[in-house]
Amino acid sequence: SYDFGVGAGFYLNATTDKYRKHYQMVDYVTEELPELILANFPAMPGKASIMGHSMGGHGALTIALKNPGKYACVSAFSPITNPSQVPWGKKALPLYLGADEAKWKSYDTVELVKSYEGQPLRLLVDQGTKDEFLTEQLRPEALQAACDEKGMALTLRMQEGYDHSYF
């Protein structure tokens, strides 16, 4: 379905028996993919950035927060910001990580912001005001509150009239 598995990944390293062998997305994005890029393109080591849309935006944010200093910048379009507290996350996280909700927090941007101890990091988030998932699933206001409390720089740009697909 579009909200689990084939169409949605949550960009995590799965730990449950069903998914752990073939579902190690954090390792792919932080280790394998950069090696491939550096070996095949004229990229500059140490100058990486990360971005994504929807669950990819969620992944970009969590990966940057879990890897202080690895990325020069991070941006996200319509990211899920607090998956441990919304229906999509409550559906997917136990399937990938098991029932222990404490493990879910390690893939929750809001929770990672609250516990962040790395070098200063600026977050850029663009969010459409007509996004059908805005209130129930994405919750950018939770991210704004966590960043305000932590003193982390967040530019949250609400894009008037845009939906989840940015059309």
Side-chain angles (χ1 to χ4, degrees):
S1 72
Y2 78 91
D3 64 348
F4 180 77
V6 175
F10 282 88
Y11 290 79
L12 50 74
N13 283 343
T15 58
T16 59
D17 289 340
K18 185 172 182 178
Y19 294 100
R20 80 168 137 232
K21 183 176 180 183
H22 298 290
Y23 212 90
Q24 300 296 305
M25 291 299 294
V26 172
D27 290 349
Y28 173 71
V29 170
T30 62
E31 297 170 21
E32 293 178 50
L33 185 58
E35 288 174 13
L36 287 168
I37 291 169
L38 289 172
N40 294 285
F41 298 97
M44 296 175 64
K47 297 290 183 183
S49 61
I50 190 166
M51 62 83 58
H53 171 253
S54 191
M55 289 190 184
H58 160 266
L61 292 167
T62 60
I63 288 169
L65 288 161
K66 291 172 83 162
N67 292 277
K70 187 172 183 82
Y71 301 98
C73 63
V74 57
S75 59
F77 301 96
S78 300
I80 301 164
T81 65
N82 200 192
S84 67
Q85 302 302 312
V86 301
W88 280 343
K90 289 180 179 182
K91 174 183 178 180
L93 294 174
L95 296 172
Y96 289 129
L97 301 173
D100 182 358
E101 293 185 22
K103 291 180 182 176
W104 303 0
K105 291 181 179 183
S106 68
Y107 292 102
D108 185 308
T109 301
V110 167
E111 297 300 327
L112 291 169
V113 164
K114 290 177 182 178
S115 63
Y116 186 77
E117 296 296 330
Q119 64 190 51
L121 180 64
R122 295 183 61 85
L123 311 179
L124 171 62
V125 173
D126 276 289
Q127 174 63 62
T129 61
K130 298 293 183 188
D131 191 320
E132 62 271 33
F133 307 118
L134 180 60
T135 304
E136 184 179 20
Q137 304 285 5
L138 306 181
R139 302 195 58 229
E141 72 284 353
L143 177 59
Q144 182 72 68
C147 287
D148 288 349
E149 183 177 316
K150 185 70 175 184
M152 182 174 285
L154 168 66
T155 301
L156 175 59
R157 300 187 306 196
M158 301 301 292
Q159 303 296 337
E160 189 63 40
Y162 284 88
D163 65 12
H164 198 69
S165 64
Y166 278 78
F167 291 106

